[in-house]
Amino acid sequence: MDTKEEFDRATEMCRDIFAKKLHDYGPSWRIMRPESITDQIFIKAKRIRSIETKGEMKVNEGVVSEFIGIVNYGIIGLLQLEKGYVDATDMTAEEALAHYDRLMADTKELMLAKNHDYDEAWRSMRVASYTDLILTKIQRTKQIEDLGGATLISEGVDANYKDMINYAVFALIKLAIEKEA
């Protein structure tokens, strides 16, 4: 299987969870400010790192569900940056899924371009490295948010969200490969 196919399989799983949660809760996340979304991603990445470090968990949900959460909150973050937050939900589940698909396609295009330039280096990395890179991107994102987006040389919050999504997808691919082996 090639990277595109693996990416599509992993993101299909993420989209399925996103769609089911949309059914249950609607796009209730529309009220969240980007900073809150960054903190949600932080919570998920911190839990993954805790499980990786301790080698055990007390809540019966593994790291796969947390990486899926990072992907989905990353897409939500991109949408909130684009549309702004609101005080009440203002879109249907169908509209939210259409935005999800568009933003995921954009994120995939970035991954393909970087993957070309980096020559599939992600395949030689450990899942724990993706976790650390996501946590680093979160710290960078928080700093950019604290600066009100006024960076001197760095990419914006959106680029960091896309990188976090792609690292989480790489982790999901690697974890699926390890499970199959």
Side-chain angles (χ1 to χ4, degrees):
M1 195 175 293
D2 74 353
T3 299
K4 275 196 232 182
E5 291 172 7
E6 290 169 316
F7 187 95
D8 289 344
R9 185 193 295 176
T11 57
E12 213 172 271
M13 179 175 53
C14 297
R15 186 188 189 279
D16 181 60
I17 298 291
F18 187 84
K20 287 175 180 170
K21 289 195 175 199
L22 265 175
H23 173 272
D24 292 350
Y25 306 129
S28 56
W29 40 262
R30 286 288 292 130
I31 67 167
M32 293 179 78
R33 293 171 284 188
E35 295 85 354
S36 298
I37 295 163
T38 301
D39 286 343
Q40 284 296 310
I41 296 170
F42 171 73
I43 289 167
K44 297 194 168 300
K46 192 72 171 164
R47 181 166 185 267
I48 294 166
R49 187 167 171 162
S50 173
I51 292 168
E52 290 170 347
T53 303
K54 294 175 186 171
E56 68 175 343
M57 61 188 162
K58 297 215 176 191
V59 175
N60 194 21
E61 251 184 36
V63 298
V64 168
S65 66
E66 301 296 355
F67 279 119
I68 291 169
I70 290 170
V71 169
N72 288 341
Y73 272 112
I75 293 292
I76 289 168
L78 291 170
L79 181 57
Q80 294 298 82
L81 288 173
E82 186 178 279
K83 296 271 185 204
Y85 63 92
V86 294
D87 291 329
T89 56
D90 62 346
M91 68 176 60
T92 65
E94 293 76 23
E95 291 169 324
L97 280 172
H99 287 297
Y100 185 99
D101 293 340
R102 177 181 53 79
L103 292 164
M104 186 61 78
D106 290 347
T107 303
K108 179 182 176 183
E109 286 306 311
L110 174 67
M111 180 277 298
L112 291 171
K114 286 186 173 186
N115 197 41
H116 172 271
D117 291 354
Y118 289 99
D119 202 24
E120 301 241 327
W122 69 270
R123 290 192 181 274
S124 299
M125 294 171 62
R126 297 174 187 97
V127 171
S129 294
Y130 304 134
T131 306
D132 291 348
L133 287 166
I134 291 167
L135 285 164
T136 301
K137 292 288 183 177
I138 291 166
Q139 293 304 311
R140 291 177 181 180
T141 300
K142 286 182 176 188
Q143 177 67 21
I144 294 168
E145 289 169 346
D146 291 348
L147 291 171
T151 60
L152 297 177
I153 193 169
S154 303
E155 298 175 302
V157 171
D158 59 334
N160 283 287
Y161 279 150
K162 286 179 181 179
D163 285 346
M164 288 184 250
I165 292 165
N166 284 327
Y167 288 135
V169 172
F170 289 157
L172 290 169
I173 292 168
K174 293 278 289 207
L175 290 167
I177 290 169
E178 289 172 8
K179 186 177 178 183
E180 292 171 4

